[in-house]
Amino acid sequence: MSVTAKSIAPQRDQSPLNMTASYWLEAMNEIGVDYLFCNMGTDHAPIIEAMAQWRQAGRKYPKVILCPHENTAVHMAIGYYRVTGRAQAVLVHVDAGTANSAMGLHNAFRSRVPLVLMAGTAPVTIRGELLGTRDTYVHFIQDPYDMKGIVRNYVKWEYQLPTGIIVKEAMRRAFSMAESDPPGPVYMTLPREILAQTWEPEQVASFPVDAYGPLRFTGVDDAPLTQIAERLLAADYPLLITSFAGRNIKTPALLDELGQLVGMGVIESYPQVLNISKASPVFLGNLSEPHLPKVDFGLMVDTDLPWMPKEASPNPNTFWAHIDIDPIKNDIPMWGFPGHLKVQADSYLALTRLIEIVKGKLTDAHRARAKTRLEGFAKQRQEAVVYIQNLAKDKGTPGLINPAYLCAELNKVLREDDILVSEAVMNEPSVGMQVLRTKPGTVLGLGGGGLGYSPGAALGVKLAKPDAMVLHLSGDGSFYFGNPSSTYEVAREHNLPIFTVVFENGGWSAVKECTIKVHPDGVSRDTDEFQARLNPAYQFQKVCEAAGGHGEDVINPEDLPAAIARCVKAVREEGRSALLVAHVKRL
């Protein structure tokens, strides 16, 4: 007797009320998830049905943000977390959606952002044996040998839900793994038949956070901190270097306090966030390299790249201490920076105790030396201010707007609580010098290497801080990677207006610059051929306009202030996104 679907398919309730998918929604509520950033597919049918059942019954579950592209969904979760500190859930479609999410997972992993990425799988049964069985063409071609392998390099943990009876325990485990220090993304797959399984309520247990929650780093033993304090106070030229200590908005004040206490300059090297106010008397910019030959004690705090080794000449006698959530850099195969004393810790807790120890050892002689160094910093900073202001005085010419002038004009329209999300790439130095942010939590940069993070991240930030204007800066090359059509549709649909500025320089400047670094006298330089130019006639602003936003295309620098003002009005007063294309100095 041959096996047919009709002969084996059981009679069943096609819309049971107690599916695994329903308990999955309960788990989201119990964990405290605010949003489900989703790109739905055929694998999510039981979840979609459970949501409809809940809506009909008046039950609440996390708000669904449907994103036309997975890149938007993952980066919205990243942006939302960077503001709120609360990990969110992303739901995508089998292997295809996982592949589209991979770049976002890379950025989350390198930025140490916890999120839970979930994907359905192709159904296992093919003849109707179970509710959720295969019923469409793609179920046969979206069933790879190792779907989790698509993102394995960029997650802390991976798991496939084996049965619905443990769905709440599995979801608690997923979030606890993601949020445990060092935090990062995790990946979970949800088979369709498992989501459609039914269970009685007493069968599916809950797992509270107080007993099953994440591991957080606590304080540090005084011994290493005492050693750091003693070397710091004995130093003639101490220097602190950080990149992401400001992910805790209370930490920048500690960096400022410690720097002023002992007369130690602070460098933001490849910053991912605002780590110290630009107005701090100990803030010395973004370049460590000029200081390194003179430094005799260096303190690295939460940094993945304290300086560029090829361009640096560190003092070989410098003692380097490193306080970091991951000082050994477990997930970077070769790192190459000294660390005579490594302390794995929450930097806020470690610095709080370090300051107490330093204060207990501080003498009048120490204070006098600190004062002298602070006076030297004041002179350096004043010279830097004059230099920065002079850079912005040159407006440029039509079609060649000076990026420094552009950034200085943008700085004028920002309020204290507005948030900068920057992916300006080769124009990042102009952003860092001219856009003078002072409040912790108001700057977000890229911790990973995947271009295209900033549009979705800006939306996530706006979702978390609806009253702040979000200024989103992007190079033209990176703008393509951000799936802008998805970005501005989500902005329109969910009332998340952002102000985007595209630095249009004709292509990928980073490709050109790096080619010149490797081949300074090469043929590519002689012939000016770098395989990096893009169509300068592309009208980026039309993408925003297509979703009801406001667009500006600025060629003449004299037109820039008025164009910026119109964009700000669209965002602040009209609740519409705005996109300004600035034609800056060419590639």
Side-chain angles (χ1 to χ4, degrees):
M1 174 180 170
S2 62
V3 177
T4 66
K6 189 173 182 180
S7 68
I8 63 174
Q11 295 297 313
R12 60 170 73 91
D13 182 355
Q14 299 300 314
S15 182
L17 296 175
N18 54 347
M19 291 185 293
T20 298
S22 185
Y23 296 110
W24 180 83
L25 289 175
E26 288 184 6
M28 295 295 108
N29 284 343
E30 291 173 6
I31 290 166
V33 174
D34 300 320
Y35 294 95
L36 296 171
F37 299 100
C38 300
N39 186 281
M40 296 292 197
T42 61
D43 44 328
H44 302 136
I47 291 176
I48 294 168
E49 178 66 12
M51 288 176 172
Q53 293 171 350
W54 279 43
R55 280 195 301 272
Q56 188 177 66
R59 299 178 69 185
K60 294 185 181 296
Y61 54 86
K63 183 176 180 180
V64 173
I65 304 290
L66 286 178
C67 300
H69 197 281
E70 294 85 351
N71 185 67
T72 304
V74 176
H75 287 107
M76 283 190 74
I78 292 173
Y80 189 84
Y81 170 81
R82 296 283 286 271
V83 174
T84 65
R86 297 195 297 276
Q88 301 301 305
V90 180
L91 185 64
V92 300
H93 176 46
V94 292
D95 59 340
T98 300
N100 278 346
S101 304
M103 188 59 73
L105 263 285
H106 160 89
N107 287 332
F109 186 72
R110 293 304 185 193
S111 302
R112 298 174 181 83
V113 170
L115 62 85
V116 178
L117 176 68
M118 289 166 283
T121 66
V124 175
T125 57
I126 65 175
R127 294 181 177 85
E129 298 94 331
L130 297 171
L131 183 61
T133 192
R134 294 186 185 188
D135 56 21
T136 189
Y137 167 74
V138 294
H139 291 162
F140 290 86
I141 61 170
Q142 292 178 331
D143 188 18
Y145 288 110
D146 184 15
M147 194 166 89
K148 293 188 282 293
I150 298 171
V151 293
R152 184 167 294 126
N153 279 316
Y154 303 114
V155 295
K156 295 175 59 182
W157 176 86
E158 59 183 66
Y159 188 67
Q160 177 157 307
L161 185 66
T163 170
I165 202 168
I166 64 165
V167 64
K168 290 188 178 183
E169 183 174 15
M171 294 315 307
R172 174 63 71 188
R173 175 70 171 167
F175 276 88
S176 292
M177 287 296 293
E179 295 180 304
S180 290
D181 288 332
V186 301
Y187 181 60
M188 189 171 178
T189 53
L190 309 170
R192 194 163 83 159
E193 293 102 328
I194 298 296
L195 289 171
Q197 286 177 336
T198 57
W199 309 95
E200 294 305 317
E202 61 270 16
Q203 291 180 282
V204 184
S206 296
F207 292 81
V209 67
D210 59 347
Y212 297 92
L215 167 70
R216 307 289 195 193
F217 288 162
T218 54
V220 181
D221 184 80
D222 276 2
L225 297 181
T226 299
Q227 186 179 354
I228 291 173
E230 291 171 348
R231 287 186 175 273
L232 176 55
L233 290 171
D236 293 319
Y237 201 117
L239 185 70
L240 190 150
I241 305 171
T242 186
S243 301
F244 55 90
R247 60 194 175 86
N248 182 334
I249 61 172
K250 296 182 291 185
T251 305
L254 297 181
L255 298 179
D256 184 47
E257 181 182 0
L258 180 61
Q260 293 198 55
L261 193 63
V262 300
M264 176 172 58
V266 176
I267 298 290
E268 278 194 315
S269 179
Y270 302 91
Q272 300 177 25
V273 292
L274 188 143
N275 299 287
I276 189 168
S277 168
K278 297 289 180 69
S280 168
V282 296
F283 173 62
L284 299 183
N286 302 115
L287 298 177
S288 309
E289 290 84 356
H291 301 274
L292 295 180
K294 297 169 285 187
V295 171
D296 56 353
F297 174 80
L299 177 57
M300 296 181 285
V301 179
D302 288 335
T303 180
D304 289 333
L305 188 60
W307 60 83
M308 187 60 67
K310 182 182 177 183
E311 300 170 4
S313 300
N315 176 358
N317 298 316
T318 303
F319 184 92
W320 288 98
H322 192 175
I323 299 172
D324 200 303
I325 199 165
D326 178 22
I328 199 66
K329 307 302 171 187
N330 273 306
D331 298 300
I332 301 177
M334 289 296 293
W335 196 56
F337 294 91
H340 300 94
L341 178 58
K342 298 179 180 70
V343 179
Q344 186 169 26
D346 179 307
S347 59
Y348 172 77
L349 297 175
L351 289 170
T352 298
R353 181 57 184 148
L354 176 61
I355 289 171
E356 293 173 351
I357 294 171
V358 167
K359 286 180 177 178
K361 294 179 175 294
L362 206 59
T363 66
D364 289 341
H366 293 137
R367 293 187 183 91
R369 295 172 68 194
K371 181 181 178 183
T372 300
R373 288 195 287 263
L374 289 170
E375 290 169 351
F377 297 161
K379 182 179 179 181
Q380 293 178 44
R381 286 178 51 78
Q382 185 54 44
E383 292 172 351
V385 167
V386 173
Y387 173 73
I388 290 168
Q389 290 175 343
N390 286 337
L391 286 177
K393 287 180 180 178
D394 175 15
K395 297 181 180 180
T397 57
L400 300 172
I401 296 171
N402 179 9
Y405 167 65
L406 167 61
C407 291
E409 290 300 308
L410 292 170
N411 185 61
K412 293 177 182 178
V413 303
L414 288 176
R415 299 171 182 169
E416 183 185 36
D417 290 326
D418 290 340
I419 299 178
L420 170 68
V421 179
S422 186
E423 193 175 20
V425 195
M426 299 305 290
N427 285 301
E428 209 63 63
S430 292
V431 177
M433 286 188 283
Q434 304 293 341
V435 184
L436 305 177
R437 310 304 288 149
T438 59
K439 186 173 181 178
T442 60
V443 176
L444 272 75
L446 177 59
L451 295 182
Y453 97 97
S454 57
L459 292 179
V461 169
K462 184 65 177 179
L463 189 64
K465 298 279 284 187
D467 295 331
M469 184 175 77
V470 179
L471 175 62
H472 161 225
L473 306 182
S474 177
D476 53 353
S478 57
F479 187 75
Y480 286 101
F481 290 119
N483 304 97
S485 58
S486 173
T487 300
Y488 297 104
E489 171 55 22
V490 173
R492 183 199 62 79
E493 179 68 20
H494 295 282
N495 191 29
L496 301 172
I498 59 174
F499 177 15
T500 298
V501 177
V502 176
F503 292 69
E504 198 283 303
N505 66 357
W508 290 297
S509 183
V511 175
K512 174 183 175 180
E513 295 301 320
C514 288
T515 301
I516 291 173
K517 286 180 180 180
V518 176
H519 305 288
D521 300 313
V523 177
S524 55
R525 186 169 193 170
D526 291 343
T527 59
D528 196 29
E529 290 292 339
F530 296 99
Q531 304 301 324
R533 288 189 176 86
L534 298 169
N535 183 1
Y538 190 89
Q539 295 179 294
F540 295 98
Q541 74 280 6
K542 298 297 183 182
V543 181
C544 182
E545 290 174 358
H550 177 79
E552 295 277 352
D553 187 52
V554 183
I555 297 174
N556 192 326
E558 299 297 335
D559 298 333
L560 196 57
I564 291 173
R566 289 191 292 270
C567 288
V568 171
K569 180 181 178 182
V571 174
R572 291 199 196 276
E573 300 178 22
E574 300 169 12
R576 296 190 296 148
S577 290
L579 194 156
L580 185 151
V581 180
H583 295 261
V584 297
K585 293 180 179 179
R586 312 311 293 162
L587 173 67

